[in-house]
Amino acid sequence: MANDLSPGHLLARGVCRCLMDHGFACLPEVVPRPGLRVDVMALGRKGEIWVVECKSSRADFTSDRKWQGYLDYADRFFWAVDTGFPREILPEGTGLILADRFGAEILRMAPEAKLAAPRRKLVTQGFARTAALRLAGRTDPGLSFQA
């Protein structure tokens, strides 16, 4: 199965393993609003929300024109890359995670930019709804629902 995953999905898997070790619940490919899809959204025990964008190559990074829109949906924003990625091209003031398909390590903590309470509530509810709908779809693939 892992051989069927793209390089970005493999990075996301390693990131989720790492963040779960740090007490976060993780969801890959979350849509916080139409037109945006974050690679990993993580919800901490105290309600903190982290967003991680997984980049598998320079071209993958340079073609991403939407990442700054993700900042409005996270307390902390990280890039996740592998050992061969040119880390010097990543923007300052963002977190950095070194990842592979098996795990990850936080190399640079992202600065905190706490979400306002109304936005936090919306993001948390969206996270919970996405998780619940995915779980329902796994237990009953015939279900039809709106995300």
Side-chain angles (χ1 to χ4, degrees):
M1 164 152 165
N3 294 334
D4 298 338
L5 297 176
S6 72
H9 287 107
L10 292 171
L11 291 174
R13 185 174 84 169
V15 165
C16 289
R17 288 178 174 184
C18 172
L19 295 182
M20 289 175 69
D21 286 345
H22 287 282
F24 284 82
C26 298
L27 279 175
E29 298 188 1
V30 174
V31 177
R33 72 170 168 82
L36 292 181
R37 183 197 50 78
V38 302
D39 292 328
V40 176
M41 184 174 279
L43 179 63
R45 291 183 178 115
K46 296 179 182 177
E48 62 272 36
I49 298 166
W50 291 6
V51 166
V52 182
E53 271 302 291
C54 300
K55 296 301 174 193
S56 58
S57 68
R58 178 185 293 267
D60 185 18
F61 172 74
T62 58
S63 67
D64 187 340
R65 306 262 189 260
K66 298 182 283 188
W67 74 268
Q68 291 183 338
Y70 306 149
L71 302 176
D72 293 337
Y73 297 92
D75 294 311
R76 295 184 192 268
F77 177 84
F78 296 83
W79 299 103
V81 299
D82 66 15
T83 57
F85 188 91
R87 292 181 245 171
E88 65 277 1
I89 68 173
L90 296 173
E92 295 286 326
T94 58
L96 176 60
I97 298 173
L98 188 63
D100 63 23
R101 67 193 292 168
F102 302 108
E105 178 182 359
I106 299 171
L107 296 183
R108 182 176 66 223
M109 182 57 68
E112 186 176 52
K114 285 194 175 242
L115 293 174
R119 174 61 58 96
R120 178 177 310 286
K121 180 179 178 183
L122 287 173
V123 173
T124 303
Q125 287 175 334
F127 185 98
R129 182 172 168 77
T130 299
L133 290 172
R134 287 184 187 173
L135 181 60
R138 289 187 71 168
T139 57
D140 188 352
L143 286 177
S144 175
F145 54 83
Q146 292 287 322

